[in-house]
Amino acid sequence: MRNKSYFVISIFNLVLLVIPLIIEKPIKIIKGLVDIIKESDILITDYIAVGGIEGAFFNAGLVGLAVLTLYRINRLQINGGLIAAYFTTVGFSLFGKNIVNIWPTILGVFLYSLYQRESFKNYILIALFGTTLSPAVVQLAFLNILGKAFSISLGILIAVFIGFCLPPLAKFSLKLHQGYCLYNMGLAGGLMATMMMSKFRAFGIDFERKLILSTGNNFKFTLLFSAIFIAFIIYGFLNERKVIEKYKLLSKTTGRLYSDYFNDFGEGITFINMGMLGLIFIIYVLLIRGELTGPAIGAILTIVGFGALGKHLVNTLPVLLGTVISSVLNIWELNSQSIILASLFGTNLAPIAGEFGWFFGIIAGFFHVSVVMNMSYLHGGLNLYNNGFAGGIVAIVLVPIFSAILRKNVEYKY
């Protein structure tokens, strides 16, 4: 069963690598990839706008291949966490992560595992999710204050150091929000990036905000990714007999970290859940007349990945509704890219709806939009999981209040 899942994910990864070869000549693919690698990766940098569809997809495919290779080298058995890490890393490879800048942070986590005299496979999820801070690798080089070579070297050393520090910080972050923020590394990375950015600013170093976005790809991306998600659903039905019974059970889970649907409910129902989430959120973006940009597709792929680790329709839709209500009542346009990303990534608070009910899930989504719109200044765009950072803050504030109101004991048992 697990080998079959590896095969399905590998086919998806192959699609990302083959599509560029179909639509463009190899030389243009390489040029797009080089442009991506050379570009500043600070939020929000849409790789489709930088290197074209061919360059962005090829980069995502290479990063996905690297992730799968790490899984195989460490002889890992596929589970919900590995699926979530793969799709999140690949999704963000459309805006911010590339085949070059992910390695220093991974190396830092590897060095930490050596320091602790433990197997790296115990830290593989932290290493992959920790690539949220990948922009730190090259961002200093674009200031050109100390010389490009020195700045890049310094950026690499900083990223390695960050990777070394992330495992203990990630563990403590989980205690802070008690498992109600699915993007735990977003909180850990946000705290680390905020400290780092505050020190940069103390030396007079700041980074200009960016908003590079692609447009006009809705039809192509809807056809491609809808076909992929439908294929996931079909595959799930072919490998599961008790679909309705198991999906009802899955939908009753809170989704609180770590809710591993692959281990708890099996491969078939997990892929059905992933495919359904992907389709629903593509439809949502189209209904509000939004653009399926690189970041938007990355967000949807992240949701799909966490369809194996905590998200389902019952606990995500209330949070989505809360973000919509907040956007309608506040100053932001519902179909602006920032709000689309806040709505999609805001589903990292799905466990709040799963634990406390739909009404409290709406409240969580409502506050998430306002909080996330004010977080990027703190970390200067160095933390790609900006919504995870905001979601962690929202969970830290709301969970104890909700648990007190409902008289629920939500203490996490470590």
Side-chain angles (χ1 to χ4, degrees):
M1 177 181 71
R2 297 179 188 272
N3 286 333
K4 287 167 60 180
S5 296
Y6 263 123
F7 178 75
V8 173
I9 296 173
S10 296
I11 291 296
F12 169 77
N13 202 83
L14 185 62
V15 169
L16 295 177
L17 290 170
V18 170
I19 285 177
L21 296 173
I22 294 175
I23 64 176
E24 286 293 350
K25 295 179 180 179
I27 190 169
K28 190 167 184 181
I29 296 172
I30 298 301
K31 182 183 181 302
L33 183 62
V34 171
D35 289 341
I36 286 170
I37 292 171
K38 291 167 60 178
E39 180 68 32
S40 166
D41 308 308
I42 204 165
L43 279 177
I44 299 173
T45 305
D46 186 341
Y47 283 166
I48 294 173
V50 174
I53 294 175
E54 64 280 1
F57 276 41
F58 198 70
N59 175 65
L62 289 177
V63 171
L65 182 60
V67 172
L68 293 175
T69 301
L70 284 175
Y71 289 174
R72 285 299 192 182
I73 290 174
N74 289 277
R75 299 180 180 179
L76 297 172
Q77 293 291 313
I78 205 76
N79 58 36
L82 297 182
I83 292 173
Y86 168 82
F87 279 97
T88 300
T89 307
V90 168
F92 275 86
S93 296
L94 296 175
F95 71 115
K97 299 182 184 183
N98 61 59
I99 192 58
V100 172
N101 70 11
I102 62 172
W103 295 110
T105 307
I106 293 174
L107 175 60
V109 177
F110 174 72
L111 293 176
Y112 181 83
S113 71
L114 292 180
Y115 178 78
Q116 294 293 338
R117 298 179 182 177
E118 295 183 52
S119 173
F120 178 59
K121 69 180 180 181
N122 297 332
Y123 295 94
I124 195 78
L125 292 182
I126 293 175
L128 293 176
F129 285 125
T131 53
T132 176
L133 295 172
S134 293
V137 177
V138 297
Q139 191 56 37
L140 286 175
F142 289 90
L143 295 176
N144 205 23
I145 295 175
L146 304 172
K148 204 157 195 177
F150 180 80
S151 296
I152 291 175
S153 300
L154 181 61
I156 291 173
L157 289 175
I158 289 173
V160 171
F161 174 75
I162 288 171
F164 187 89
C165 296
L166 278 178
L169 184 56
K171 184 176 180 180
F172 191 79
S173 295
L174 186 58
K175 294 181 180 180
L176 292 176
H177 59 75
Q178 295 290 298
Y180 288 95
C181 169
L182 289 175
Y183 305 162
N184 179 56
M185 194 56 70
L187 177 59
L191 294 172
M192 177 67 75
T194 296
M195 287 188 62
M196 185 167 60
M197 197 64 225
S198 64
K199 184 52 64 180
F200 285 158
R201 289 180 177 131
F203 286 105
I205 299 173
D206 205 348
F207 304 131
E208 185 180 351
R209 302 290 86 77
K210 295 181 67 176
L211 187 62
I212 300 175
L213 295 172
S214 59
T215 58
N217 295 310
N218 280 17
F219 180 72
K220 289 178 284 190
F221 289 168
T222 298
L223 285 181
L224 173 62
F225 288 99
S226 293
I228 290 171
F229 299 147
I230 290 171
F232 283 178
I233 294 172
I234 293 173
Y235 177 79
F237 271 100
L238 292 176
N239 288 274
E240 181 58 62
R241 295 180 180 178
K242 301 178 180 179
V243 172
I244 296 177
E245 178 184 339
K246 283 194 174 182
Y247 194 78
K248 283 182 178 179
L249 292 173
L250 184 149
S251 298
K252 291 179 181 178
T253 63
T254 64
R256 192 177 176 188
L257 284 177
Y258 288 96
S259 297
D260 190 328
Y261 294 151
F262 191 95
N263 285 337
D264 294 342
F265 298 98
E267 175 190 43
I269 204 67
T270 299
F271 273 96
I272 290 173
N273 187 49
M274 291 164 60
M276 289 174 62
L277 285 169
L279 287 177
I280 289 296
F281 282 94
I282 279 184
I283 292 171
Y284 166 73
V285 174
L286 296 178
L287 283 177
I288 63 172
R289 297 182 180 180
E291 286 282 347
L292 288 172
T293 62
I297 292 296
I300 291 170
L301 288 177
T302 301
I303 293 171
V304 169
F306 274 87
L309 195 74
K311 293 186 183 182
H312 50 74
L313 293 179
V314 175
N315 67 3
T316 55
L317 292 182
V319 180
L320 177 66
L321 179 57
T323 64
V324 171
I325 293 172
S326 180
S327 302
V328 171
L329 296 179
N330 297 144
I331 61 175
W332 303 292
E333 292 293 331
L334 182 60
N335 63 353
S336 68
Q337 193 67 192
S338 296
I339 294 301
I340 289 174
L341 295 182
S343 298
L344 298 177
F345 283 123
T347 55
N348 78 90
L349 292 169
I352 291 181
E355 179 76 57
F356 301 105
W358 64 269
F359 177 73
F360 293 95
I362 291 174
I363 294 176
F366 184 85
F367 279 104
H368 176 80
V369 170
S370 303
V371 173
V372 77
M373 298 299 281
N374 290 279
M375 298 303 289
S376 63
Y377 173 79
L378 295 178
H379 55 76
L382 294 180
N383 177 31
L384 293 175
Y385 303 166
N386 186 49
N387 278 271
F389 187 20
I393 299 298
V394 171
I396 290 170
V397 174
L398 293 185
V399 166
I401 296 173
F402 292 169
S403 61
I405 292 173
L406 297 177
R407 294 185 174 88
K408 277 196 171 190
N409 181 14
V410 297
E411 184 179 354
Y412 202 102
K413 302 297 180 182
Y414 294 91

